[in-house]
Amino acid sequence: MSDLEKDPNNPARRDGTSDENSDQTRVQSIDDAADPVDSYKEDIAPEARESAVGPAANTPAAAGSKASVIVPWIVAVIAVIALAVVLIRQNDDGDTLKGAVGTLNGKDITKNEFYTVMYDQVGKDQAGSMLDNYMTLKLIEGEAEKAGLTEAAAQEAVDQEVVKIKAQYNFATDADFENALSSSGTTLEAYKKNQILPQVELRAIFEKKLAPKEEDLKAYFDKNKANFDTAEQVRASHILLATKEEAEAVLKDLKGGADFATVAKEKSTDTGSQANGGDLGFFGKGVMNEQFETAAFKLKKGEMSGVVESPNGFHIILLTDRKDAVASTYDSAKDKVKSAYLDEKVNEGASEWIETAKKDAGYENLLTKEEEPAASASPESSPAASGSASPAASASASASE
């Protein structure tokens, strides 16, 4: 399957240009759905942020896909950045900060030493923000448990969300998903823990808090029905070539009986789909660039196109499958409706809920707590004190006695 189909939000721009930072931003939309420090402090729009991500410059470009209300990362989650994990998580040698994190010239570098150095480097404000992230995640975890979310139920829900993401963005396997995640510097397990799990926990909290009724969910479905319908999709393979002459020569071979997948592996310049015989998987309208999309959707199942020119080069397209549009019903989409409804409510109220929950839980971040101002010296002890104190100072002194 081509790289163009591996980005959860915006594989490439419709104009056919590629993003020069594609390796780093391939799954940026996953991470960008929440700012790692301050996301929970502000209301988040009910759509995932979109990022322009491009595969190799010669692949058929895709337009930014519209974020569905059922995408799990549309709600702000509190991502613990790598440094916070290093500073807070303990290794296998117990809970002491005396444990070694490195060895140099036969001497151990302790966790405590490393913590001190890193704290000095990032500064108190940044360290305080990281601690706030960690404590907020712990708060959400604890409140979700109070709401009745068990570890087993949470894990099942997380796994279900991964299945939804893979299906929605045409990831064929976990390996494909992991490859996309790794390009943005994370792993599947880290993504599950730091992104999807808090989302699941917030849903559980708000489900207990709001106790949505059937009529609430049906009303939400009626209002957002289009988000639950399945649009027409096609599955296509393609061979991409640099020049029209090359493409016409390959097309002649294909019409003469050459195997499409074999030729794609040998001659296609789309490195993303080449190994899979040119297979791009299923995609709907508004994904590929206009020239490619128009040609693909005109084909019948099993039919091959002529040479199709696009901003990326010259394509030969083989339509291998087609799925008709399906209108959803409330009963068929009930679980998705409930998740989407709760996501919207979390979007609207997460910030306020977290601040209230912090107060109820006695939250106190000592790294960000402002120091008490030093007490003013008494007139008697101050060398600069005048013979008579000011009226304000006298009032303050009297009040404190």
Side-chain angles (χ1 to χ4, degrees), residues 225-233 323-329 332:
K225 185 178 182 300
N227 291 319
F228 302 99
D229 291 341
T230 302
E232 179 188 14
Q233 291 185 313
K323 292 181 181 178
D324 294 332
V326 178
S328 63
T329 63
S332 68

Side-chain angles (χ1 to χ4, degrees), residues 163-174:
V163 171
K164 289 180 185 178
I165 295 167
K166 286 168 55 182
Q168 184 171 357
Y169 298 107
N170 295 326
F171 288 98
T173 65
D174 277 355

Side-chain angles (χ1 to χ4, degrees), residues 285-307:
K285 291 183 178 179
V287 177
M288 303 298 182
N289 62 54
E290 185 177 357
Q291 298 89 334
F292 189 96
E293 176 185 293
T294 300
F297 274 85
K298 283 183 177 179
L299 296 172
K300 297 178 181 179
K301 184 177 178 180
E303 187 178 5
M304 185 172 64
S305 73
V307 175

Side-chain angles (χ1 to χ4, degrees), residues 149-161 189 192 197 200:
L149 182 66
T150 65
E151 184 176 348
Q155 185 59 55
E156 181 180 358
V158 168
D159 291 340
Q160 289 175 353
E161 291 298 338
E189 289 307 311
K192 286 180 179 180
L197 180 57
V200 168

Side-chain angles (χ1 to χ4, degrees), residues 49 87 152 163 190 255 292 301 315 350 358 371 391:
R49 299 177 192 171
L87 298 180
V163 171
K255 288 182 176 180
F292 189 96
K301 184 177 178 180
H315 309 263
K358 281 182 174 182
E371 296 180 0

